[in-house]
Amino acid sequence: MTDSGETNVLYVVLDACRRDATRRAMDTFADLAASNLTFERAVTPASWSLPAHVSMLTGADPSEHVRYSRSDHSVGRLDLVEGFRQRGFTTWGVSANIFASQHYDFDASFDEFHYTNGIDREHADGLDASNALGEHGATPRGYARVLRAAATHENPSESLVNVARATVGRAVSRWEPLRRVPHPWFTNGGRFGYSYDAADNTDRVVSLLQRAAEDDAPFFGFVNYMDLHSPYRPPEAYLPEGLSRRAADRLNREYVLPWSFHAANERGDVDEATIEAIRALYDAEARAVDEQLARLRAALDRLDLLENTLLVVTADHGENLGERTWRGERAMGHEATTSDAVLEVPLLLAHPALDGRSVPDRVTLADLPSLLTDDLDTVLASGGRDLGAFTGREVVPSASPAHESTQHYDEFDAVPRELLATAIEHHTTVAFQGDWKVEARSDGHRLATCDGERRPYEDAPEAARHSCEQRLAAFDGGEGPTVDLGGDVEQSLRDLGYL
């Protein structure tokens, strides 16, 4: 406990982390799991980042909060964060995911928030130059306005440096030969064409933990790591044996992004060796991000925060790595899919008061807010034996909300329009009940499986079918708040393979 009697919470999201990767390639996670609380059947509320993160930090189903449009939806208030603030917690976030950033108003509930995937993140306390250029435009008049804003900012020197870096970043992202300039601003184009580095992410978190160690107030910290999200470009030391950087880049370019993979598979260009190489790259990323998890644990220990901090480690969604869908075709990534590899995610709760055990019940990450606020004292006092309502659901819901990026139709014209529509236009709701998995899509598609075998939809449990149909109707009647996105957001989404 802190001086206030409260328990700190550090909520870590390993973006796109498959549950099996934590057992196969992540020694730190496995070590923590051996002496803490893990969940064998945790389910994400949504198959992709924006709606999943909102549900994970509000407790609302995607059909209720209706934040799913990549082009203009605004996140705004996050109930879990607001609840901690009202109780006197210092709240901060460090995120490498653009959907969990200021660009989508994800930061609104936090006292302090750092987006670590921008091309101008030289100084976090300076002007957000990338966003300012997106707002005013990269024209002479736009630059004049941004420079005036930087010069009159409370930290003008840092702001002007950010403008310079944002300008370089824009040029590098548009003209690849500039990446050969021997300077970090040019050569460190980042994993996705901009400046994400997992070690820098951790450095920022550790600095915030150091500040927390000197403060009497408890803290709630949110962290997102993007290492396991495609494209898979692990640090050099983690590259799989026998796979060169050039070969890895080719795999990312031709096979890793979902629609590129589909097109290659349709041409017959995908073989088992390709799938295994991609999986090896993914596992390399898992080992690399596991090192950052080790650094966080070590920092908590070194700063005497370990004894009074609950560490939550989970993922917003998983990832297909060549698994076959119910249609019999292979899939890559998490577009247009409700596969178990995407919907089932790791979940670890670590605290000295918890016993080491694995919970077999199926749970949803959307119930974490109530667990971390209403039931946390009971959970810790019982050593994790009493989880309250967290394990009490008869039906566990999930969803694959349509992202409404209609430009996909033109950009991926080699992919059948009806397949693209399952991601762009049609919402899909999913319900797990016992051995049953049920899904309903807004184009009329219905699917039910029991223990992995396809069964007639009408044979599925009524409660599961009702859950799907009710939430599908709510999607059709909902309208989320909007936000204006700058041009750099579009470039970032393109670098991530979303555009």
Side-chain angles (χ1 to χ4, degrees):
M1 297 287 181
T2 62
D3 291 347
S4 65
E6 299 276 13
T7 300
N8 304 312
V9 176
L10 183 59
Y11 193 138
V12 179
V13 176
L14 307 178
D15 212 283
C17 184
R18 290 167 60 108
R19 189 176 61 189
D20 57 5
T22 61
R23 298 190 293 264
R24 186 177 61 243
M26 300 179 66
D27 292 343
T28 302
F29 188 100
D31 185 49
L32 285 166
S35 56
N36 288 284
L37 206 58
T38 56
F39 294 81
E40 297 175 13
R41 306 174 82 187
V43 174
T44 179
S47 63
W48 63 281
S49 293
L50 176 58
H53 275 89
V54 177
S55 291
M56 291 161 64
L57 293 178
T58 63
D61 187 82
S63 64
E64 297 170 344
H65 65 64
V66 291
R67 269 73 162 184
Y68 54 79
S69 173
R70 288 179 185 165
S71 58
D72 64 357
H73 273 177
S74 168
V75 173
R77 178 187 172 94
L78 296 169
D79 293 5
L80 177 61
V81 186
E82 293 282 350
F84 278 119
R85 285 183 65 186
Q86 290 168 10
R87 287 163 51 190
F89 281 63
T90 298
T91 60
W92 44 261
V94 177
S95 174
N97 188 314
I98 194 167
F99 296 118
S101 77
Q102 292 91 331
H103 292 293
Y104 285 83
D105 289 340
F106 187 86
D107 64 313
S109 293
F110 290 88
D111 295 315
E112 184 175 350
F113 200 92
H114 302 277
Y115 175 51
T116 56
N117 238 350
I119 58 178
D120 65 328
R121 305 317 297 164
E122 185 74 11
H123 296 292
D125 52 355
L127 176 73
D128 184 345
S130 179
N131 192 52
L133 285 170
E135 178 182 350
H136 296 295
T139 63
R141 179 174 294 180
Y143 266 103
R145 290 174 176 171
V146 171
L147 287 169
R148 275 198 300 273
T152 57
H153 192 273
E154 60 181 339
N155 295 308
S157 298
E158 292 85 350
S159 297
L160 289 168
V161 172
N162 284 352
V163 174
R165 180 155 192 179
T167 302
V168 170
R170 282 172 164 262
V172 169
S173 68
R174 287 160 173 77
W175 195 36
E176 191 165 336
L178 283 175
R179 298 178 188 177
R180 294 195 288 269
V181 175
H183 186 279
W185 288 11
F186 294 85
T187 57
N188 181 21
R191 292 156 39 81
F192 311 117
Y194 43 101
S195 58
Y196 169 64
D197 182 274
D200 290 344
N201 221 42
T202 303
D203 289 344
R204 184 63 57 90
V205 177
V206 171
S207 70
L208 290 163
L209 291 175
Q210 288 171 337
R211 191 192 307 169
E214 299 167 0
D215 193 353
D216 291 336
F219 71 84
F220 170 80
F222 168 82
V223 190
N224 173 288
Y225 286 93
M226 284 289 282
D227 301 67
L228 285 157
H229 194 292
S230 62
Y232 310 132
R233 294 173 181 160
E236 205 70 31
Y238 290 92
L239 266 178
E241 186 176 355
L243 191 65
S244 67
R245 177 65 68 190
R246 183 175 181 178
D249 287 345
R250 177 178 172 272
L251 288 171
N252 280 299
R253 185 173 58 252
E254 298 183 12
Y255 299 105
V256 165
L257 299 181
W259 303 125
S260 299
F261 179 84
H262 177 84
N265 197 41
E266 288 292 297
R267 295 192 305 268
D269 289 347
V270 179
D271 57 21
E272 289 301 321
T274 299
I275 296 292
E276 289 305 314
I278 292 171
R279 290 174 178 169
L281 275 177
Y282 182 90
D283 283 358
E285 292 282 26
R287 286 189 287 274
V289 78
D290 190 64
E291 178 186 337
Q292 305 309 317
L293 189 58
R295 289 185 61 201
L296 292 180
R297 180 175 65 169
L300 289 169
D301 190 18
R302 184 178 69 255
L303 296 167
D304 293 327
L305 293 170
L306 201 60
E307 292 296 314
N308 66 323
T309 299
L310 176 73
L311 175 63
V312 181
V313 185
T314 188
D316 54 341
H317 56 78
E319 197 87 326
N320 288 315
L321 294 174
E323 286 84 3
R324 294 193 181 275
T325 70
W326 62 269
R327 293 184 293 266
E329 62 193 20
R330 287 188 181 276
M332 189 66 63
H334 51 275
E335 286 268 356
T337 180
T338 53
S339 71
D340 290 351
V342 169
L343 299 185
E344 295 184 345
V345 294
L347 176 59
L348 163 74
L349 303 182
H351 187 280
L354 295 174
D355 299 328
R357 73 184 184 101
S358 181
V359 180
D361 307 63
R362 187 177 278 119
V363 298
T364 170
L365 301 186
D367 286 341
L368 276 176
S370 60
L371 181 76
L372 297 178
T373 52
D374 301 337
D375 300 327
L376 184 55
D377 289 344
T378 300
V379 171
L380 295 179
S382 68
R385 299 287 168 177
D386 185 352
L387 296 171
F390 191 62
T391 56
R393 284 185 182 256
E394 177 188 16
V395 176
V396 173
S398 188
S400 181
H403 56 62
E404 299 183 343
S405 298
T406 54
Q407 61 268 44
H408 272 22
Y409 288 125
D410 294 328
E411 295 178 344
F412 301 107
D413 55 1
V415 179
R417 187 179 179 90
E418 60 271 19
L419 180 58
L420 289 172
T422 62
I424 298 169
E425 298 181 40
H426 303 310
H427 300 297
T428 303
T429 54
V430 180
F432 295 90
Q433 184 175 359
D435 293 330
W436 285 87
K437 180 181 179 182
V438 179
E439 62 182 69
R441 197 165 65 215
S442 53
D443 63 351
H445 162 80
R446 299 293 184 271
L447 179 68
T449 60
C450 183
D451 200 22
E453 298 293 325
R454 190 166 184 180
R455 300 281 291 275
Y457 186 75
E458 55 271 17
D459 289 354
E462 182 179 356
R465 288 185 284 120
H466 177 72
S467 171
C468 285
E469 302 296 344
Q470 184 180 49
R471 288 180 291 121
L472 196 61
F475 266 123
D476 291 339
E479 183 68 34
T482 60
V483 65
D484 291 328
L485 301 176
D488 285 340
V489 175
E490 180 177 333
Q491 182 61 43
S492 297
L493 294 176
R494 190 176 303 281
D495 290 334
L496 284 167
Y498 289 134
L499 299 181

